Amino acid sequence: SVTVRRRFRRHFSLAGVQRNVTDHRVLLLGPPGAGKGTQGDRLADRYDLDVITTGDALRNNKQMDISDLGLEYDTPGEYMDAGALVPDAVVNEIVVAALADADGFVLDGYPRNLDQAEYLSDQTALDHVVLLDVPESVLVERLTGRRVCDDCGATYHVDFDPPAEDGVCDDCGGEIVQREDDTEETVRDRLQVYADETEPVVEHYRETGALTAVSGEGSPDEVFDRLVELIDG
Ligand code: ADP
Ligand code: ADP
Ligand code: ZN
């Protein structure tokens, strides 16, 4: 089975206590490189939320044996390195386990197709569905320059957001690495998968009136201010 690592833990709460109305349930949508991970971490800090990120959970389980599904590949990692979506059955299991003990959360990287969106709608309500809007021309340089902490998953960029000390995570001291799927070729494939599979999800939330689009351009601080303004109303 799949375990989900959370970067930020909520304060202690008694089992069975009702969900607090200040526990926001935020869905962050946007193409690869839009800034979902970067902003999700900041929102989790500010509002004391869990980050539920299917990408990180899958990276921690790249070698998991999923051959029993009888699909194209036998591990999540093979799909990820090809820039393809990991099968819904695997990803849905991650999300349902994470939602089970999250109160407030930021959901990043899920749902990525309409079937996942339908599954999610049976699992939880959402308070905010936010599209981080970034033009495609910006995404490739964001993604090819991205670096991540191998230990805690914190996100950096070689030019736009470097760590204080080269190769060392500011948050935990872990080693900063480049993801295997952040090469230019795989980035192009992932952007195509987004256009084909995930843009219909964005359209779905737009049609239901749930979606708010927020510009993801400008500095991370500027984008964060827009999100806080949205959530605080
Ligand atoms: P990014 O935000 O840069 O697109 P993620 O870390 O969210 O990257 O995802 C990396 C990879 O993990 C995806 O390309 C895909 O292979 C897999 N993945 C993550 N979330 C999902 C999901 N909801 N459904 C299917 N595959 C997923
Ligand atoms: P996503 O989770 O949507 O794929 P990330 O948060 O991982 O996106 O951001 C992708 C890359 O772009 C990272 O290297 C990150 O440091 C950088 N980045 C994030 N937000 C901004 C921004 N507002 N301006 C410039 N670079 C950014
Ligand atoms: Zn770290």
Side-chain angles (χ1 to χ4, degrees), residues 30-34 36-37 53-56 58-59 76 79-81 83-88 91 95 108-113 116 143 146 179 181-182 190:
K36 302 180 298 295
T53 155
T54 47
D56 275 11
L58 290 167
R59 268 184 292 284
Y79 289 94
M80 298 169 81
D81 291 345
L85 294 186
V86 175
D88 290 347
V91 186
V95 169
D108 160 14
Y110 181 98
R112 261 180 153 89
N113 61 31
Q116 292 180 12
L143 288 165
R146 172 161 62 187
R179 280 169 43 170
D181 60 347
D182 277 344
R190 287 160 57 210

PDB file of all heavy atoms in Angstrom, residues 30-34 36-37 53-56 58-59 76 79-81 83-88 91 95 108-113 116 143 146 179 181-182 190, ligand 1:
ATOM      1  N   GLY A  30      -3.226  23.576 -12.374  1.00  0.00           N
ATOM      2  CA  GLY A  30      -2.336  24.340 -13.254  1.00  0.00           C
ATOM      3  C   GLY A  30      -1.366  23.408 -13.915  1.00  0.00           C
ATOM      4  O   GLY A  30      -1.115  22.301 -13.428  1.00  0.00           O
ATOM      5  N   PRO A  31      -0.786  23.846 -15.019  1.00  0.00           N
ATOM      6  CA  PRO A  31       0.136  22.987 -15.759  1.00  0.00           C
ATOM      7  C   PRO A  31       1.394  22.701 -14.960  1.00  0.00           C
ATOM      8  O   PRO A  31       1.703  23.408 -13.992  1.00  0.00           O
ATOM      9  CB  PRO A  31       0.452  23.809 -17.011  1.00  0.00           C
ATOM     10  CG  PRO A  31       0.187  25.220 -16.613  1.00  0.00           C
ATOM     11  CD  PRO A  31      -0.951  25.162 -15.650  1.00  0.00           C
ATOM     12  N   PRO A  32       2.150  21.673 -15.360  1.00  0.00           N
ATOM     13  CA  PRO A  32       3.458  21.449 -14.752  1.00  0.00           C
ATOM     14  C   PRO A  32       4.271  22.740 -14.808  1.00  0.00           C
ATOM     15  O   PRO A  32       4.339  23.385 -15.857  1.00  0.00           O
ATOM     16  CB  PRO A  32       4.094  20.378 -15.650  1.00  0.00           C
ATOM     17  CG  PRO A  32       2.951  19.690 -16.315  1.00  0.00           C
ATOM     18  CD  PRO A  32       1.868  20.721 -16.453  1.00  0.00           C
ATOM     19  N   GLY A  33       4.836  23.140 -13.684  1.00  0.00           N
ATOM     20  CA  GLY A  33       5.653  24.345 -13.634  1.00  0.00           C
ATOM     21  C   GLY A  33       4.898  25.602 -13.265  1.00  0.00           C
ATOM     22  O   GLY A  33       5.496  26.676 -13.113  1.00  0.00           O
ATOM     23  N   ALA A  34       3.584  25.502 -13.068  1.00  0.00           N
ATOM     24  CA  ALA A  34       2.791  26.701 -12.762  1.00  0.00           C
ATOM     25  C   ALA A  34       3.133  27.275 -11.393  1.00  0.00           C
ATOM     26  O   ALA A  34       2.900  28.459 -11.131  1.00  0.00           O
ATOM     27  CB  ALA A  34       1.304  26.375 -12.834  1.00  0.00           C
ATOM     28  N   LYS A  36       2.452  25.151  -8.378  1.00  0.00           N
ATOM     29  CA  LYS A  36       1.547  24.523  -7.414  1.00  0.00           C
ATOM     30  C   LYS A  36       2.295  24.070  -6.164  1.00  0.00           C
ATOM     31  O   LYS A  36       1.838  24.291  -5.043  1.00  0.00           O
ATOM     32  CB  LYS A  36       0.835  23.319  -8.054  1.00  0.00           C
ATOM     33  CG  LYS A  36       0.047  23.666  -9.304  1.00  0.00           C
ATOM     34  CD  LYS A  36      -0.642  22.457  -9.903  1.00  0.00           C
ATOM     35  CE  LYS A  36       0.302  21.360 -10.367  1.00  0.00           C
ATOM     36  NZ  LYS A  36       1.185  21.761 -11.490  1.00  0.00           N
ATOM     37  N   GLY A  37       3.440  23.417  -6.362  1.00  0.00           N
ATOM     38  CA  GLY A  37       4.214  22.943  -5.208  1.00  0.00           C
ATOM     39  C   GLY A  37       4.723  24.105  -4.360  1.00  0.00           C
ATOM     40  O   GLY A  37       4.616  24.093  -3.128  1.00  0.00           O
ATOM     41  N   THR A  53       0.134  15.831  -2.070  1.00  0.00           N
ATOM     42  CA  THR A  53       0.697  15.960  -3.408  1.00  0.00           C
ATOM     43  C   THR A  53       1.001  14.583  -3.974  1.00  0.00           C
ATOM     44  O   THR A  53       1.857  13.855  -3.472  1.00  0.00           O
ATOM     45  CB  THR A  53       1.936  16.895  -3.424  1.00  0.00           C
ATOM     46  OG1 THR A  53       2.766  16.558  -4.542  1.00  0.00           O
ATOM     47  CG2 THR A  53       2.757  16.797  -2.165  1.00  0.00           C
ATOM     48  N   THR A  54       0.227  14.235  -4.992  1.00  0.00           N
ATOM     49  CA  THR A  54       0.362  12.900  -5.570  1.00  0.00           C
ATOM     50  C   THR A  54       1.740  12.722  -6.208  1.00  0.00           C
ATOM     51  O   THR A  54       2.284  11.617  -6.182  1.00  0.00           O
ATOM     52  CB  THR A  54      -0.743  12.648  -6.609  1.00  0.00           C
ATOM     53  OG1 THR A  54      -0.841  13.775  -7.485  1.00  0.00           O
ATOM     54  CG2 THR A  54      -2.071  12.429  -5.918  1.00  0.00           C
ATOM     55  N   GLY A  55       2.312  13.791  -6.759  1.00  0.00           N
ATOM     56  CA  GLY A  55       3.633  13.677  -7.375  1.00  0.00           C
ATOM     57  C   GLY A  55       4.682  13.228  -6.361  1.00  0.00           C
ATOM     58  O   GLY A  55       5.457  12.297  -6.616  1.00  0.00           O
ATOM     59  N   ASP A  56       4.717  13.868  -5.195  1.00  0.00           N
ATOM     60  CA  ASP A  56       5.685  13.479  -4.159  1.00  0.00           C
ATOM     61  C   ASP A  56       5.413  12.063  -3.665  1.00  0.00           C
ATOM     62  O   ASP A  56       6.335  11.273  -3.468  1.00  0.00           O
ATOM     63  CB  ASP A  56       5.598  14.432  -2.946  1.00  0.00           C
ATOM     64  CG  ASP A  56       6.437  15.690  -3.148  1.00  0.00           C
ATOM     65  OD1 ASP A  56       6.903  15.906  -4.291  1.00  0.00           O
ATOM     66  OD2 ASP A  56       6.609  16.438  -2.171  1.00  0.00           O
ATOM     67  N   LEU A  58       4.052   9.639  -5.227  1.00  0.00           N
ATOM     68  CA  LEU A  58       4.470   8.656  -6.242  1.00  0.00           C
ATOM     69  C   LEU A  58       5.988   8.575  -6.338  1.00  0.00           C
ATOM     70  O   LEU A  58       6.544   7.489  -6.517  1.00  0.00           O
ATOM     71  CB  LEU A  58       3.867   9.024  -7.606  1.00  0.00           C
ATOM     72  CG  LEU A  58       2.351   8.832  -7.713  1.00  0.00           C
ATOM     73  CD1 LEU A  58       1.815   9.515  -8.965  1.00  0.00           C
ATOM     74  CD2 LEU A  58       1.994   7.345  -7.722  1.00  0.00           C
ATOM     75  N   ARG A  59       6.666   9.720  -6.219  1.00  0.00           N
ATOM     76  CA  ARG A  59       8.137   9.676  -6.260  1.00  0.00           C
ATOM     77  C   ARG A  59       8.697   8.828  -5.122  1.00  0.00           C
ATOM     78  O   ARG A  59       9.728   8.188  -5.260  1.00  0.00           O
ATOM     79  CB  ARG A  59       8.727  11.093  -6.222  1.00  0.00           C
ATOM     80  CG  ARG A  59       8.969  11.658  -7.626  1.00  0.00           C
ATOM     81  CD  ARG A  59       9.634  13.021  -7.594  1.00  0.00           C
ATOM     82  NE  ARG A  59       8.762  14.054  -7.054  1.00  0.00           N
ATOM     83  CZ  ARG A  59       7.747  14.591  -7.743  1.00  0.00           C
ATOM     84  NH1 ARG A  59       7.506  14.223  -8.978  1.00  0.00           N
ATOM     85  NH2 ARG A  59       6.981  15.506  -7.191  1.00  0.00           N
ATOM     86  N   PRO A  76       5.100   2.660 -10.865  1.00  0.00           N
ATOM     87  CA  PRO A  76       4.779   4.071 -11.125  1.00  0.00           C
ATOM     88  C   PRO A  76       5.923   4.814 -11.809  1.00  0.00           C
ATOM     89  O   PRO A  76       5.685   5.648 -12.689  1.00  0.00           O
ATOM     90  CB  PRO A  76       4.517   4.641  -9.717  1.00  0.00           C
ATOM     91  CG  PRO A  76       4.088   3.479  -8.903  1.00  0.00           C
ATOM     92  CD  PRO A  76       4.875   2.308  -9.447  1.00  0.00           C
ATOM     93  N   TYR A  79       5.972   5.041 -15.642  1.00  0.00           N
ATOM     94  CA  TYR A  79       5.041   6.033 -16.198  1.00  0.00           C
ATOM     95  C   TYR A  79       5.601   7.439 -16.027  1.00  0.00           C
ATOM     96  O   TYR A  79       5.555   8.258 -16.947  1.00  0.00           O
ATOM     97  CB  TYR A  79       3.682   5.959 -15.479  1.00  0.00           C
ATOM     98  CG  TYR A  79       2.878   4.727 -15.788  1.00  0.00           C
ATOM     99  CD1 TYR A  79       2.950   3.603 -14.982  1.00  0.00           C
ATOM    100  CD2 TYR A  79       2.025   4.691 -16.881  1.00  0.00           C
ATOM    101  CE1 TYR A  79       2.200   2.463 -15.259  1.00  0.00           C
ATOM    102  CE2 TYR A  79       1.259   3.567 -17.171  1.00  0.00           C
ATOM    103  CZ  TYR A  79       1.358   2.449 -16.360  1.00  0.00           C
ATOM    104  OH  TYR A  79       0.611   1.338 -16.641  1.00  0.00           O
ATOM    105  N   MET A  80       6.125   7.705 -14.845  1.00  0.00           N
ATOM    106  CA  MET A  80       6.584   9.070 -14.536  1.00  0.00           C
ATOM    107  C   MET A  80       7.756   9.463 -15.427  1.00  0.00           C
ATOM    108  O   MET A  80       7.803  10.579 -15.942  1.00  0.00           O
ATOM    109  CB  MET A  80       6.968   9.161 -13.063  1.00  0.00           C
ATOM    110  CG  MET A  80       5.777   8.889 -12.150  1.00  0.00           C
ATOM    111  SD  MET A  80       6.242   8.665 -10.446  1.00  0.00           S
ATOM    112  CE  MET A  80       6.411  10.371  -9.936  1.00  0.00           C
ATOM    113  N   ASP A  81       8.692   8.545 -15.603  1.00  0.00           N
ATOM    114  CA  ASP A  81       9.862   8.877 -16.415  1.00  0.00           C
ATOM    115  C   ASP A  81       9.497   9.054 -17.889  1.00  0.00           C
ATOM    116  O   ASP A  81      10.218   9.710 -18.635  1.00  0.00           O
ATOM    117  CB  ASP A  81      10.954   7.812 -16.247  1.00  0.00           C
ATOM    118  CG  ASP A  81      11.563   7.840 -14.842  1.00  0.00           C
ATOM    119  OD1 ASP A  81      11.347   8.840 -14.125  1.00  0.00           O
ATOM    120  OD2 ASP A  81      12.240   6.870 -14.457  1.00  0.00           O
ATOM    121  N   GLY A  83       6.760  10.599 -18.651  1.00  0.00           N
ATOM    122  CA  GLY A  83       5.905  11.792 -18.672  1.00  0.00           C
ATOM    123  C   GLY A  83       4.428  11.464 -18.776  1.00  0.00           C
ATOM    124  O   GLY A  83       3.607  12.336 -19.025  1.00  0.00           O
ATOM    125  N   ALA A  84       4.087  10.188 -18.586  1.00  0.00           N
ATOM    126  CA  ALA A  84       2.694   9.752 -18.695  1.00  0.00           C
ATOM    127  C   ALA A  84       2.019   9.745 -17.320  1.00  0.00           C
ATOM    128  O   ALA A  84       2.697   9.791 -16.293  1.00  0.00           O
ATOM    129  CB  ALA A  84       2.644   8.353 -19.296  1.00  0.00           C
ATOM    130  N   LEU A  85       0.693   9.669 -17.313  1.00  0.00           N
ATOM    131  CA  LEU A  85      -0.025   9.580 -16.048  1.00  0.00           C
ATOM    132  C   LEU A  85       0.081   8.169 -15.480  1.00  0.00           C
ATOM    133  O   LEU A  85      -0.033   7.183 -16.207  1.00  0.00           O
ATOM    134  CB  LEU A  85      -1.499   9.936 -16.232  1.00  0.00           C
ATOM    135  CG  LEU A  85      -1.825  11.374 -16.636  1.00  0.00           C
ATOM    136  CD1 LEU A  85      -3.340  11.592 -16.619  1.00  0.00           C
ATOM    137  CD2 LEU A  85      -1.125  12.386 -15.742  1.00  0.00           C
ATOM    138  N   VAL A  86       0.267   8.086 -14.182  1.00  0.00           N
ATOM    139  CA  VAL A  86       0.217   6.817 -13.452  1.00  0.00           C
ATOM    140  C   VAL A  86      -1.256   6.385 -13.408  1.00  0.00           C
ATOM    141  O   VAL A  86      -2.144   7.243 -13.319  1.00  0.00           O
ATOM    142  CB  VAL A  86       0.807   7.012 -12.034  1.00  0.00           C
ATOM    143  CG1 VAL A  86       0.667   5.758 -11.190  1.00  0.00           C
ATOM    144  CG2 VAL A  86       2.273   7.442 -12.134  1.00  0.00           C
ATOM    145  N   PRO A  87      -1.533   5.072 -13.489  1.00  0.00           N
ATOM    146  CA  PRO A  87      -2.937   4.622 -13.543  1.00  0.00           C
ATOM    147  C   PRO A  87      -3.790   5.153 -12.381  1.00  0.00           C
ATOM    148  O   PRO A  87      -3.330   5.250 -11.246  1.00  0.00           O
ATOM    149  CB  PRO A  87      -2.818   3.095 -13.478  1.00  0.00           C
ATOM    150  CG  PRO A  87      -1.472   2.802 -14.046  1.00  0.00           C
ATOM    151  CD  PRO A  87      -0.592   3.943 -13.642  1.00  0.00           C
ATOM    152  N   ASP A  88      -5.033   5.457 -12.704  1.00  0.00           N
ATOM    153  CA  ASP A  88      -5.952   6.038 -11.723  1.00  0.00           C
ATOM    154  C   ASP A  88      -6.060   5.199 -10.453  1.00  0.00           C
ATOM    155  O   ASP A  88      -6.145   5.749  -9.349  1.00  0.00           O
ATOM    156  CB  ASP A  88      -7.359   6.162 -12.323  1.00  0.00           C
ATOM    157  CG  ASP A  88      -7.433   7.227 -13.407  1.00  0.00           C
ATOM    158  OD1 ASP A  88      -6.485   8.028 -13.526  1.00  0.00           O
ATOM    159  OD2 ASP A  88      -8.446   7.244 -14.129  1.00  0.00           O
ATOM    160  N   VAL A  91      -3.316   6.114  -8.055  1.00  0.00           N
ATOM    161  CA  VAL A  91      -3.359   7.498  -7.578  1.00  0.00           C
ATOM    162  C   VAL A  91      -4.577   7.730  -6.683  1.00  0.00           C
ATOM    163  O   VAL A  91      -4.485   8.400  -5.651  1.00  0.00           O
ATOM    164  CB  VAL A  91      -3.364   8.463  -8.783  1.00  0.00           C
ATOM    165  CG1 VAL A  91      -3.265   9.886  -8.316  1.00  0.00           C
ATOM    166  CG2 VAL A  91      -2.229   8.136  -9.737  1.00  0.00           C
ATOM    167  N   VAL A  95      -4.805   9.247  -2.717  1.00  0.00           N
ATOM    168  CA  VAL A  95      -5.587  10.412  -2.334  1.00  0.00           C
ATOM    169  C   VAL A  95      -6.605  10.060  -1.254  1.00  0.00           C
ATOM    170  O   VAL A  95      -6.777  10.810  -0.284  1.00  0.00           O
ATOM    171  CB  VAL A  95      -6.253  11.036  -3.575  1.00  0.00           C
ATOM    172  CG1 VAL A  95      -7.286  12.076  -3.184  1.00  0.00           C
ATOM    173  CG2 VAL A  95      -5.179  11.659  -4.472  1.00  0.00           C
ATOM    174  N   ASP A 108      -2.496  19.076  -4.506  1.00  0.00           N
ATOM    175  CA  ASP A 108      -1.626  19.498  -5.621  1.00  0.00           C
ATOM    176  C   ASP A 108      -1.315  18.288  -6.495  1.00  0.00           C
ATOM    177  O   ASP A 108      -0.758  17.305  -6.022  1.00  0.00           O
ATOM    178  CB  ASP A 108      -0.337  20.099  -5.026  1.00  0.00           C
ATOM    179  CG  ASP A 108       0.836  20.126  -6.012  1.00  0.00           C
ATOM    180  OD1 ASP A 108       0.635  19.936  -7.221  1.00  0.00           O
ATOM    181  OD2 ASP A 108       1.970  20.338  -5.532  1.00  0.00           O
ATOM    182  N   GLY A 109      -1.681  18.368  -7.754  1.00  0.00           N
ATOM    183  CA  GLY A 109      -1.323  17.306  -8.695  1.00  0.00           C
ATOM    184  C   GLY A 109      -2.438  16.309  -8.950  1.00  0.00           C
ATOM    185  O   GLY A 109      -2.238  15.331  -9.675  1.00  0.00           O
ATOM    186  N   TYR A 110      -3.569  16.541  -8.387  1.00  0.00           N
ATOM    187  CA  TYR A 110      -4.721  15.647  -8.508  1.00  0.00           C
ATOM    188  C   TYR A 110      -5.990  16.486  -8.376  1.00  0.00           C
ATOM    189  O   TYR A 110      -6.011  17.356  -7.491  1.00  0.00           O
ATOM    190  CB  TYR A 110      -4.672  14.603  -7.389  1.00  0.00           C
ATOM    191  CG  TYR A 110      -5.791  13.589  -7.415  1.00  0.00           C
ATOM    192  CD1 TYR A 110      -5.608  12.334  -7.969  1.00  0.00           C
ATOM    193  CD2 TYR A 110      -7.046  13.898  -6.884  1.00  0.00           C
ATOM    194  CE1 TYR A 110      -6.641  11.410  -7.987  1.00  0.00           C
ATOM    195  CE2 TYR A 110      -8.089  12.978  -6.911  1.00  0.00           C
ATOM    196  CZ  TYR A 110      -7.878  11.734  -7.465  1.00  0.00           C
ATOM    197  OH  TYR A 110      -8.892  10.822  -7.490  1.00  0.00           O
ATOM    198  N   PRO A 111      -7.013  16.305  -9.152  1.00  0.00           N
ATOM    199  CA  PRO A 111      -7.177  15.334 -10.231  1.00  0.00           C
ATOM    200  C   PRO A 111      -6.529  15.796 -11.536  1.00  0.00           C
ATOM    201  O   PRO A 111      -6.465  16.983 -11.815  1.00  0.00           O
ATOM    202  CB  PRO A 111      -8.697  15.256 -10.392  1.00  0.00           C
ATOM    203  CG  PRO A 111      -9.199  16.608  -9.978  1.00  0.00           C
ATOM    204  CD  PRO A 111      -8.254  17.091  -8.918  1.00  0.00           C
ATOM    205  N   ARG A 112      -6.074  14.832 -12.319  1.00  0.00           N
ATOM    206  CA  ARG A 112      -5.381  15.125 -13.572  1.00  0.00           C
ATOM    207  C   ARG A 112      -6.145  14.642 -14.782  1.00  0.00           C
ATOM    208  O   ARG A 112      -5.687  14.842 -15.905  1.00  0.00           O
ATOM    209  CB  ARG A 112      -4.012  14.449 -13.554  1.00  0.00           C
ATOM    210  CG  ARG A 112      -2.879  15.390 -13.174  1.00  0.00           C
ATOM    211  CD  ARG A 112      -1.606  14.572 -13.214  1.00  0.00           C
ATOM    212  NE  ARG A 112      -0.409  15.289 -13.489  1.00  0.00           N
ATOM    213  CZ  ARG A 112       0.356  15.848 -12.557  1.00  0.00           C
ATOM    214  NH1 ARG A 112       0.000  15.852 -11.297  1.00  0.00           N
ATOM    215  NH2 ARG A 112       1.488  16.423 -12.907  1.00  0.00           N
ATOM    216  N   ASN A 113      -7.268  13.979 -14.580  1.00  0.00           N
ATOM    217  CA  ASN A 113      -8.155  13.650 -15.705  1.00  0.00           C
ATOM    218  C   ASN A 113      -9.586  13.641 -15.160  1.00  0.00           C
ATOM    219  O   ASN A 113      -9.802  13.748 -13.941  1.00  0.00           O
ATOM    220  CB  ASN A 113      -7.765  12.315 -16.375  1.00  0.00           C
ATOM    221  CG  ASN A 113      -7.859  11.136 -15.425  1.00  0.00           C
ATOM    222  OD1 ASN A 113      -8.700  11.125 -14.514  1.00  0.00           O
ATOM    223  ND2 ASN A 113      -7.008  10.135 -15.625  1.00  0.00           N
ATOM    224  N   GLN A 116     -10.558  11.002 -12.484  1.00  0.00           N
ATOM    225  CA  GLN A 116     -10.064  11.344 -11.140  1.00  0.00           C
ATOM    226  C   GLN A 116     -10.930  12.449 -10.521  1.00  0.00           C
ATOM    227  O   GLN A 116     -11.217  12.431  -9.317  1.00  0.00           O
ATOM    228  CB  GLN A 116      -8.606  11.792 -11.193  1.00  0.00           C
ATOM    229  CG  GLN A 116      -7.637  10.672 -11.555  1.00  0.00           C
ATOM    230  CD  GLN A 116      -6.193  11.127 -11.616  1.00  0.00           C
ATOM    231  OE1 GLN A 116      -5.853  12.233 -11.182  1.00  0.00           O
ATOM    232  NE2 GLN A 116      -5.330  10.279 -12.163  1.00  0.00           N
ATOM    233  N   LEU A 143      10.559  24.614 -15.512  1.00  0.00           N
ATOM    234  CA  LEU A 143      10.684  23.178 -15.220  1.00  0.00           C
ATOM    235  C   LEU A 143      12.100  22.663 -15.422  1.00  0.00           C
ATOM    236  O   LEU A 143      12.591  21.861 -14.618  1.00  0.00           O
ATOM    237  CB  LEU A 143       9.706  22.390 -16.101  1.00  0.00           C
ATOM    238  CG  LEU A 143       8.242  22.558 -15.692  1.00  0.00           C
ATOM    239  CD1 LEU A 143       7.318  22.067 -16.802  1.00  0.00           C
ATOM    240  CD2 LEU A 143       7.954  21.811 -14.399  1.00  0.00           C
ATOM    241  N   ARG A 146      14.152  23.663 -12.494  1.00  0.00           N
ATOM    242  CA  ARG A 146      13.656  23.261 -11.164  1.00  0.00           C
ATOM    243  C   ARG A 146      14.638  22.298 -10.489  1.00  0.00           C
ATOM    244  O   ARG A 146      15.209  21.419 -11.121  1.00  0.00           O
ATOM    245  CB  ARG A 146      12.300  22.578 -11.290  1.00  0.00           C
ATOM    246  CG  ARG A 146      11.828  21.957  -9.969  1.00  0.00           C
ATOM    247  CD  ARG A 146      10.355  21.694  -9.943  1.00  0.00           C
ATOM    248  NE  ARG A 146       9.918  20.737 -10.958  1.00  0.00           N
ATOM    249  CZ  ARG A 146       8.627  20.463 -11.202  1.00  0.00           C
ATOM    250  NH1 ARG A 146       7.680  21.081 -10.523  1.00  0.00           N
ATOM    251  NH2 ARG A 146       8.309  19.595 -12.137  1.00  0.00           N
ATOM    252  N   ARG A 179      14.878  16.468 -10.836  1.00  0.00           N
ATOM    253  CA  ARG A 179      13.990  15.340 -11.106  1.00  0.00           C
ATOM    254  C   ARG A 179      14.296  14.740 -12.469  1.00  0.00           C
ATOM    255  O   ARG A 179      14.596  15.456 -13.413  1.00  0.00           O
ATOM    256  CB  ARG A 179      12.533  15.813 -11.069  1.00  0.00           C
ATOM    257  CG  ARG A 179      11.980  15.940  -9.688  1.00  0.00           C
ATOM    258  CD  ARG A 179      10.661  16.650  -9.642  1.00  0.00           C
ATOM    259  NE  ARG A 179       9.715  16.251 -10.702  1.00  0.00           N
ATOM    260  CZ  ARG A 179       8.432  16.623 -10.730  1.00  0.00           C
ATOM    261  NH1 ARG A 179       7.958  17.408  -9.773  1.00  0.00           N
ATOM    262  NH2 ARG A 179       7.646  16.241 -11.708  1.00  0.00           N
ATOM    263  N   ASP A 181      12.294  13.605 -14.581  1.00  0.00           N
ATOM    264  CA  ASP A 181      11.332  13.984 -15.627  1.00  0.00           C
ATOM    265  C   ASP A 181      11.369  15.480 -15.934  1.00  0.00           C
ATOM    266  O   ASP A 181      10.522  15.979 -16.656  1.00  0.00           O
ATOM    267  CB  ASP A 181       9.909  13.537 -15.248  1.00  0.00           C
ATOM    268  CG  ASP A 181       9.414  14.153 -13.943  1.00  0.00           C
ATOM    269  OD1 ASP A 181      10.235  14.728 -13.184  1.00  0.00           O
ATOM    270  OD2 ASP A 181       8.198  14.059 -13.682  1.00  0.00           O
ATOM    271  N   ASP A 182      12.359  16.199 -15.434  1.00  0.00           N
ATOM    272  CA  ASP A 182      12.465  17.630 -15.729  1.00  0.00           C
ATOM    273  C   ASP A 182      13.449  17.930 -16.864  1.00  0.00           C
ATOM    274  O   ASP A 182      13.971  19.037 -16.976  1.00  0.00           O
ATOM    275  CB  ASP A 182      12.830  18.433 -14.464  1.00  0.00           C
ATOM    276  CG  ASP A 182      11.596  18.755 -13.620  1.00  0.00           C
ATOM    277  OD1 ASP A 182      10.457  18.644 -14.136  1.00  0.00           O
ATOM    278  OD2 ASP A 182      11.767  19.134 -12.442  1.00  0.00           O
ATOM    279  N   ARG A 190       4.978  16.051 -20.958  1.00  0.00           N
ATOM    280  CA  ARG A 190       4.074  16.296 -19.823  1.00  0.00           C
ATOM    281  C   ARG A 190       3.125  17.450 -20.119  1.00  0.00           C
ATOM    282  O   ARG A 190       1.964  17.427 -19.700  1.00  0.00           O
ATOM    283  CB  ARG A 190       4.891  16.561 -18.557  1.00  0.00           C
ATOM    284  CG  ARG A 190       5.548  15.268 -18.031  1.00  0.00           C
ATOM    285  CD  ARG A 190       6.715  15.537 -17.117  1.00  0.00           C
ATOM    286  NE  ARG A 190       6.347  16.355 -15.996  1.00  0.00           N
ATOM    287  CZ  ARG A 190       7.164  17.195 -15.373  1.00  0.00           C
ATOM    288  NH1 ARG A 190       8.422  17.322 -15.777  1.00  0.00           N
ATOM    289  NH2 ARG A 190       6.740  17.893 -14.359  1.00  0.00           N
TER     290      ARG A 190
HETATM  291  P1  ADP B   1       4.284  18.571 -12.046  1.00  0.00           P
HETATM  292  O1  ADP B   1       3.578  19.369 -11.013  1.00  0.00           O
HETATM  293  O2  ADP B   1       5.590  19.163 -12.449  1.00  0.00           O
HETATM  294  O3  ADP B   1       3.428  18.223 -13.214  1.00  0.00           O
HETATM  295  P2  ADP B   1       4.047  16.229 -10.335  1.00  0.00           P
HETATM  296  O4  ADP B   1       5.090  16.089  -9.314  1.00  0.00           O
HETATM  297  O5  ADP B   1       2.702  16.688  -9.914  1.00  0.00           O
HETATM  298  O6  ADP B   1       4.668  17.157 -11.463  1.00  0.00           O
HETATM  299  O7  ADP B   1       3.860  14.851 -11.106  1.00  0.00           O
HETATM  300  C1  ADP B   1       4.960  14.130 -11.603  1.00  0.00           C
HETATM  301  C2  ADP B   1       4.465  12.863 -12.295  1.00  0.00           C
HETATM  302  O8  ADP B   1       3.780  12.029 -11.351  1.00  0.00           O
HETATM  303  C3  ADP B   1       3.457  13.086 -13.411  1.00  0.00           C
HETATM  304  O9  ADP B   1       4.084  13.388 -14.654  1.00  0.00           O
HETATM  305  C4  ADP B   1       2.736  11.730 -13.432  1.00  0.00           C
HETATM  306  O10 ADP B   1       3.533  10.747 -14.063  1.00  0.00           O
HETATM  307  C5  ADP B   1       2.666  11.387 -11.960  1.00  0.00           C
HETATM  308  N1  ADP B   1       1.434  11.889 -11.331  1.00  0.00           N
HETATM  309  C6  ADP B   1       1.327  12.841 -10.355  1.00  0.00           C
HETATM  310  N2  ADP B   1       0.052  13.047 -10.028  1.00  0.00           N
HETATM  311  C7  ADP B   1      -0.689  12.215 -10.811  1.00  0.00           C
HETATM  312  C8  ADP B   1      -2.075  11.966 -10.955  1.00  0.00           C
HETATM  313  N3  ADP B   1      -3.000  12.649 -10.241  1.00  0.00           N
HETATM  314  N4  ADP B   1      -2.466  11.031 -11.852  1.00  0.00           N
HETATM  315  C9  ADP B   1      -1.583  10.346 -12.582  1.00  0.00           C
HETATM  316  N5  ADP B   1      -0.253  10.536 -12.511  1.00  0.00           N
HETATM  317  C10 ADP B   1       0.203  11.459 -11.633  1.00  0.00           C
END
